Amino acid sequence: MEIVMSVLASILFATGVYNLLQKQLLRIVIGTALISHGAHLFILTMGKLKRGAPPVLVDRVSDYADPLPQALILTSIVISFGVTSFLLVLSYRAYTINQTDNMEEMRGSNDE
Amino acid sequence: MNNIAVLPIILPLLAAIIVAFFPRKLQLVRFLSQGLSLIFLGVIGWITWKVYTGGIIVLQSGGWDAPFGISIVADYLSVLLVLTTFIIGAAAVFYAPHALSLEQESFYFYTFYFMLISGVSGAFLTGDLFNLFVFFEVLLMASYGLIILGNGKIQLRESLKYVLINLFSSMLFVTAVAFIYSAVGTVNLAQIAERVESAEQQGVLTAIGILLFFVFAVKAAIFPLYYWLPNSYVVPNPVVSALFGALLTKVGIYSIMRVFTLIFVHDTGLTHELFIWLAMFTMIFGAIGALSTNNVKLIITYNIIPAIGFILMGIGLHSEIGIAGSVYYLLHDMVIKGALFFLAGALIVAAGTKDLKKMSGVIHKYPLLGWMIFISALVLAGIPPFSGFIGKLLLLQGALAQEEYLLSIVALASSLLILFSMIRIFVEGVWGEESKLVTTEKKKVNRLTIPAVVLIAISIFMGIGAEYIYPHTETIAEMLMERTEYINSVLKE
């Protein structure tokens, strides 16, 4: 199961990087979202996926799921959610002010 | 009493919330932010005193002991950096009303400012790797807000790049945390240090260390990962650039210092040798960049990069005197970069242009501003008796003690280039015939100069009063090299 998840995470990373390298702003935003999903899956995989039971607070229990990666992912998802929505607003704003959503065409004089 | 360790994070956060309630009552907001900043400065001074007299303060939040809960560790290095952060913040908040337009100010500048301070002090104080990521995001979110204040065409384009690069490196940071967790089974810095020491597979851990270094190097703008910095730091308002230049890259280099003196110290032959090479390139390329342009603000922005090189040099040397030099240089550089951006903002207003070729003779109308630029050039280049000299002296002593002659030569040469780039501002822009572009808005320029004067005074004190400052940096270096005190105070209480 871990192998499948690692492969999935790597596919997400690869497609994310591919999209990040495009010129269209929306594609770039989608690329960052994909990369962050890849990273989240990766944390889950690193903390061992399934060991039998939900996390419990009893002594002498050995087959519990590791709660820490889940806490980390939860935090990380919230952060990437916030950043992605900010990035969408920012790119919309950049599109309306610059009249283009193409990163190549946004180039121009460096001195205002 | 352990609870006071969290105050530098909580207080600015509360202030940000309070200030956000009155976006349209600018007078009140200004007064509140300035007053609160000064009060916080006092509180942080008191905490620094507590740490100085009583040793490391560790807060195990929620009563969960170290490996399970979130630890907030105020050791001497962190608390001094937090104090410097608050000093620069206070200076910035007095500079802001005169530098920002009313529109920029009323779009929650002060809220973002307090959040930035909160995130920066959180990153300095946190004792676990994942929370370091969280506080990085807190300060980055605030910086995203600050960088687009003003809404210009070029500003939007450059801030897009800034956001994307930081987002990408943050995701790599999360990945690195996942790697560390799978390798040693913990995210608490002290416990990672303990387990890395006893772990067998050093090769894998070094690889993870390099990945972490890559992440921090992007944030700290180390060669060859500094390409994003100059353009994105030059577009926002001078007060925002001052906060960024003084604080953000320093958080990155602080994280490198913490991680590579506490955790990954067992394979120094590979990692720290790499640091020395990168430090050399960072110093040289940053200084060359500073010479390449006529835009006053861009010259100062490029000068952020060689300073990071100097700090990295001390970390790479990994000797007590090298680390002491790094810490000293870090403190000095935070203060002087804040002052320089304030001065650049004032100079641009006074000269009426940011092009060095067009401005001249500012000193006739504004002697204070002119001489302050001269002094800050000397401070930055490391001319005695100013603070840059002491830091560089310590670093060079460390380099010569380890017979790193090439490194010492590169460091000295890049200092000369820095001096050249800064003196160019003085000779071409400040000295000479008075041009017609020089404004007559005396009051405004003087108000812009005063916060910089305060910071430069602190910097001069750090140079002349080096005998008061140096013992502290030495203690910090001893603690960083020893490691046991940090680990014990976090884990065994």
Side-chain angles (χ1 to χ4, degrees), chain B residues 389-437:
Chain B
F389 171 70
I390 313 286
K392 279 179 188 168
L393 182 70
L394 291 173
L395 287 170
L396 283 175
Q397 275 179 351
L400 290 176
Q402 292 180 26
E403 298 181 342
E404 295 277 359
Y405 297 116
L406 182 64
L407 179 66
S408 333
I409 293 167
V410 168
L412 287 172
S414 76
S415 297
L416 268 183
L417 290 180
I418 293 168
L419 181 66
F420 182 45
S421 74
M422 288 302 298
I423 283 297
R424 225 161 59 97
I425 299 182
F426 184 73
V427 172
E428 287 183 25
V430 180
W431 207 248
E433 292 281 305
E434 193 174 324
S435 84
K436 282 179 193 139
L437 288 168

Side-chain angles (χ1 to χ4, degrees), chain B residues 150-413:
Chain B
N151 199 19
K153 246 184 181 182
I154 292 171
Q155 209 174 355
L156 278 169
R157 186 190 68 202
E158 295 303 334
S159 55
L160 261 176
K161 289 182 201 163
Y162 174 79
V163 174
L164 284 172
I165 282 164
N166 277 306
L167 189 56
F168 185 68
S169 69
S170 292
M171 283 311 136
L172 284 184
F173 194 177
V174 176
T175 318
V177 172
F179 269 127
I180 287 225
Y181 185 68
S182 78
V184 294
T186 176
V187 288
N188 187 297
L189 284 175
Q191 207 181 14
I192 296 173
E194 224 175 39
R195 294 214 178 150
V196 164
E197 197 152 22
S198 56
E200 280 164 17
Q201 267 189 307
Q202 289 295 343
V204 174
L205 289 169
T206 311
I208 298 170
I210 297 288
L211 181 61
L212 266 183
F213 173 73
F214 174 82
V215 171
F216 296 141
V218 172
K219 317 246 182 205
I222 287 167
F223 174 88
L225 304 164
Y226 66 81
Y227 47 88
W228 57 272
L229 182 130
N231 278 333
S232 36
Y233 277 27
V234 97
V235 286
N237 194 284
V239 60
V240 177
S241 307
L243 285 171
F244 283 16
L247 305 177
L248 294 197
T249 47
K250 277 35 170 207
V251 178
I253 196 81
Y254 161 81
S255 312
I256 293 177
M257 193 186 274
R258 179 62 86 200
V259 166
F260 284 90
T261 54
L262 184 66
I263 300 174
F264 302 106
V265 288
H266 307 290
D267 198 1
T268 49
L270 179 65
T271 51
H272 291 63
E273 190 65 30
L274 174 77
F275 292 173
I276 285 177
W277 281 99
L278 289 181
M280 277 194 258
F281 284 118
T282 313
M283 287 188 264
I284 286 295
F285 279 84
I288 290 174
L291 288 170
S292 71
T293 170
N294 279 320
N295 182 338
V296 174
K297 220 172 141 195
L298 200 55
I299 294 177
I300 289 164
T301 313
Y302 266 115
N303 269 321
I304 296 173
I305 298 163
I308 296 292
F310 277 107
I311 301 165
L312 185 66
M313 165 181 165
I315 302 170
L317 292 172
H318 203 254
S319 63
E320 213 160 89
I321 191 156
I323 302 269
S326 272
V327 172
Y328 199 100
Y329 205 87
L330 182 56
L331 294 171
H332 139 83
D333 197 61
M334 286 170 84
V335 174
I336 195 67
K337 281 288 139 54
L340 268 173
F341 277 105
F342 291 161
L343 287 175
L347 182 66
I348 290 169
V349 171
T353 170
K354 53 180 124 170
D355 193 345
L356 209 51
K357 291 272 176 242
K358 286 181 195 149
M359 64 168 71
S360 79
V362 175
I363 202 163
H364 298 296
K365 223 167 242 160
Y366 305 103
L368 180 66
L369 175 63
W371 288 117
M372 279 300 138
I373 290 173
F374 183 67
I375 291 177
S376 61
L378 297 187
V379 173
L380 201 62
I383 306 286
F386 301 116
S387 57
F389 171 70
I390 313 286
K392 279 179 188 168
L393 182 70
L394 291 173
L395 287 170
L396 283 175
Q397 275 179 351
L400 290 176
Q402 292 180 26
E403 298 181 342
E404 295 277 359
Y405 297 116
L406 182 64
L407 179 66
S408 333
I409 293 167
V410 168
L412 287 172

Side-chain angles (χ1 to χ4, degrees), chain A residues 43 46 66 68 93 98 106, chain B residues 151 153 157 174 181-182:
Chain A
I43 306 178
M46 284 289 149
D66 192 349
L68 191 78
R93 190 76 197 159
N98 285 302
M106 273 193 205
Chain B
N151 199 19
K153 246 184 181 182
R157 186 190 68 202
V174 176
Y181 185 68
S182 78

